[in-house]
Amino acid sequence: GENVEQHPSTLSVQEGDSAVIKCTYSDSASNYFPWYKQELGKGPQLIIDIRSNVGEKKDQRIAVTLNKTAKHFSLHITETQPEDSAVYFCAASEGTGNQFYFGTGTSLTVIP
Amino acid sequence: DTEVTQTPKHLVMGMTNKKSLKCEQHMGHRAMYWYKQKAKKPPELMFVYSYEKLSINESVPSRFSPECPNSSLLNLHLHALQPEDSALYLCASSPEGQLSGANVLTFGAGSRLTVL
């Protein structure tokens, strides 16, 4: 089955700096890669996703890149703000299926 | 309406109690999920209902019993739980069966369960 690894497990950045979280996956059949942000006491919220026919996707301060050959994808947050502090999970799936394989999470702290 | 609504938000129960968690969505999604999440860990899949039929059961103990009364509702019945079952229980839904696009997963806010 699919195995998703996520690094780092914790990340602290100064407000205004950039943050990068990296994930690797093992199953070449995976073709959909969502990123979730989970704030304390809340459920995971989808913040951006990418499909395997696209190499990069941006949404304001957030971007995701995908390297299918190397089987890794990354989340980039620019101009970080304190409200970006949360746990971020990457995931991989076959796209149309019901199995989503989650990374172990990254706890991001943005220091004002 | 783009929300998955879960009730109750918090539940405390004894090991001999019977309780239920409820989940509702009105996005027309045809797949609904139960996940269990321990602190600082990713969500772990428990059950998936697809078109109101149980399609995935990740070898969950029988003290957890899912039910899907209709395409908008999902319940998780709890009986004779153990303290180690204390966790955040997340409901999610996805469109399923789209001709194009991925099966995007939308989570609810979760029900925080404490078993005494």
Side-chain angles (χ1 to χ4, degrees), chain A residues 92-105:
Chain A
S93 87
E94 229 180 298
T96 56
N98 298 124
Q99 282 284 10
F100 292 80
Y101 299 90
F102 287 88
T104 48

Side-chain angles (χ1 to χ4, degrees), chain A:
Chain A
E2 175 66 281
N3 181 43
V4 178
E5 295 189 359
Q6 182 173 347
H7 299 281
S9 57
T10 60
L11 179 60
S12 291
V13 298
Q14 290 291 136
E15 182 177 358
D17 287 350
S18 295
V20 180
I21 303 170
K22 299 183 179 182
C23 288
T24 60
Y25 63 100
S26 60
D27 190 348
S28 57
S30 291
N31 58 16
Y32 173 61
F33 307 93
W35 284 90
Y36 289 88
K37 173 184 180 182
Q38 187 171 23
E39 296 175 276
L40 200 60
K42 297 185 178 181
Q45 179 187 10
L46 179 70
I47 56 171
I48 196 167
D49 56 12
I50 192 167
R51 301 172 194 179
S52 60
N53 59 349
V54 175
E56 184 176 3
K57 184 177 177 181
K58 287 183 180 179
D59 183 3
Q60 299 183 351
R61 296 185 296 109
I62 295 173
V64 56
T65 58
L66 171 65
N67 183 326
K68 283 180 57 180
T69 304
K71 294 195 183 71
H72 65 72
F73 56 111
S74 300
L75 177 71
H76 304 253
I77 306 174
T78 59
E79 300 173 20
T80 53
Q81 301 168 3
E83 52 265 38
D84 294 328
S85 296
V87 178
Y88 291 80
F89 292 101
C90 64
S93 87
E94 229 180 298
T96 56
N98 298 124
Q99 282 284 10
F100 292 80
Y101 299 90
F102 287 88
T104 48
T106 296
S107 178
L108 173 65
T109 302
V110 179
I111 304 164

